[in-house]
Amino acid sequence: MSVFRADVLKGRVALVTGGGTGICKGIARNFSQYGANVVITSRKLENLEKAAEEIEAAGGKCVPVQADVRKPEEVERAVAVALERFGKLDTVVNGAAGNFLCPASQLSYNAFRTVMEIDTIGTFNVTKAAFEALSKAGAEGQDPLVLNITATLHYVGTPLQAHVMAAKAGIDALMKNLAVEWGPLGIRVNNIAPGPIGDTEGMMRLAPGDLAQKMAANIPLRRFGTIQEIADMAVFLASPAARYISGAIMIVDGAQWLATQPFEM
C-alpha cells in the first residue's frame, strides 16, 4: 500500500542521471508511477532503453537519452530533449556515480580523478545545464527541485573509499551553496544519503555473501535498505509536503553511520 496519493507528482518533469539501473532507475520508476514524466540518462543506451520500456509498459512516459555527465554538451542535449518532449523541466536527480574498493595508497591518479569527475563534476554539469529551465519553473511557482544522491561514507573515516568520500563530500558542499544561492529563485536543493542498499548491483559486488550478513548485523535496524525506500524518499522530497525543505541531507541508512564499528586493516 502506497503512502502517497496516486497523482502526487502529476505535472512534474524530471531528468534522472544514472536512471538506467539501480537506485536511480527505481527513482525514475517511482516518479513515473506518481504522475511525473521522466527523462533518464546514462552512458549505456541498452540499460536506458530497457528501463524506459519497463516504465512505459507500466503506463508512464519516459525518454532515454544516452549522455555522459562528464561532458557538458551531452547533458545540455539531455536537458534540451526534456524541454522539447515535455515543454519544461522542474526536477533534476543527480545519481550518476562510480564506486569500487581500493586502498588510498594503491589508488591511481586516474581512478581518483574519474570518480570525482563522474560524481562531483557531473553533478555540477547537469545542475548548471538545467539552471535556466529550473529558474523558469521557479518564476512560475512550480517548486523546482535539485536532488542529489550521495552517501554516508564521508561522515566517518571509511577505509578503501577515499575517492568516493571526497566526491560525495564535494556534492554535499555544492548542495549547501546552491540551496542558498538559488533559493531566492524558488529552487530547492537537497541530498539523499543512502546507507547500504541490498538490492543494488553495487552492493552485491562490494559486499558479497557472508560480508553482507556481517555488515547488516552492525546496522541498528539489522538489515540493508531497499531501492524502494530510497525512491520513496525521493518522491517525498519532490512532493508538496516538502516545499519548505531545502539545504537538507536526508540520511536513509537505518542509523548505520552512527553505529559504524572500528575497521581493522
Side-chain angles (χ1 to χ4, degrees):
M1 181 180 295
S2 173
V3 298
F4 302 108
R5 195 179 65 202
D7 62 349
V8 69
L9 300 185
K10 184 177 181 180
R12 277 200 174 269
V13 177
L15 172 65
V16 183
T17 72
T21 59
I23 288 173
C24 288
K25 176 183 174 181
I27 291 174
R29 183 176 61 240
N30 229 29
F31 274 17
S32 174
Q33 177 184 340
Y34 292 107
N37 296 324
V38 295
V39 175
I40 56 175
T41 75
S42 78
R43 288 174 289 172
K44 295 183 178 180
L45 184 59
E46 179 182 355
N47 290 339
L48 290 173
E49 290 177 337
K50 182 178 180 181
E53 288 174 1
E54 292 176 9
I55 290 172
E56 297 222 318
K61 293 183 179 179
C62 181
V63 179
V65 180
Q66 187 174 23
D68 187 333
V69 297
R70 295 172 292 182
K71 299 177 180 179
E73 66 278 7
E74 294 190 8
V75 296
E76 288 174 356
R77 179 170 59 87
V79 169
V81 169
L83 294 174
E84 178 183 352
R85 290 294 298 272
F86 300 120
K88 68 172 187 174
L89 176 64
D90 56 40
T91 306
V92 172
V93 178
N94 289 302
N99 194 4
F100 50 89
L101 299 177
C102 186
S105 60
Q106 298 177 25
L107 190 63
S108 72
Y109 301 118
N110 183 63
F112 185 88
R113 182 178 63 250
T114 296
V115 172
M116 292 296 294
E117 287 177 345
I118 295 172
D119 289 45
T120 314
I121 296 176
T123 294
F124 175 79
N125 289 344
V126 175
T127 307
K128 179 175 172 58
F131 174 70
E132 184 175 341
L134 294 171
S135 297
K136 181 179 179 181
E140 295 175 354
Q142 297 174 6
D143 187 32
L145 170 69
V146 176
L147 181 57
N148 307 309
I149 309 304
T150 59
T152 60
L153 300 169
H154 54 293
Y155 301 163
V156 295
T158 305
L160 312 179
Q161 294 279 267
H163 45 307
V164 184
M165 289 175 64
K168 299 302 188 185
I171 296 173
D172 280 357
L174 178 63
M175 178 275 291
K176 293 173 183 178
N177 170 269
L178 296 182
V180 172
E181 285 196 12
W182 294 3
L185 301 173
I187 302 171
R188 295 188 295 117
V189 189
N190 293 298
N191 290 359
I192 295 177
I197 304 302
D199 52 344
T200 62
E201 180 182 346
M203 184 52 61
M204 294 174 188
R205 185 176 66 251
L206 295 173
D210 292 344
L211 180 57
Q213 295 179 359
K214 292 178 180 178
M215 288 181 63
N218 288 323
I219 297 172
L221 290 186
R222 296 295 189 266
R223 66 175 179 85
F224 287 165
T226 66
I227 290 175
Q228 187 64 48
E229 287 169 326
I230 304 303
D232 284 344
M233 174 58 75
V235 171
F236 165 71
L237 289 172
S239 77
R243 286 183 70 95
Y244 203 55
I245 297 177
S246 189
I249 300 173
M250 310 299 280
I251 300 174
V252 188
D253 77 336
Q256 187 247 3
W257 81 273
L258 290 170
T260 298
Q261 301 296 312
F263 187 91
E264 296 182 4
M265 297 186 67

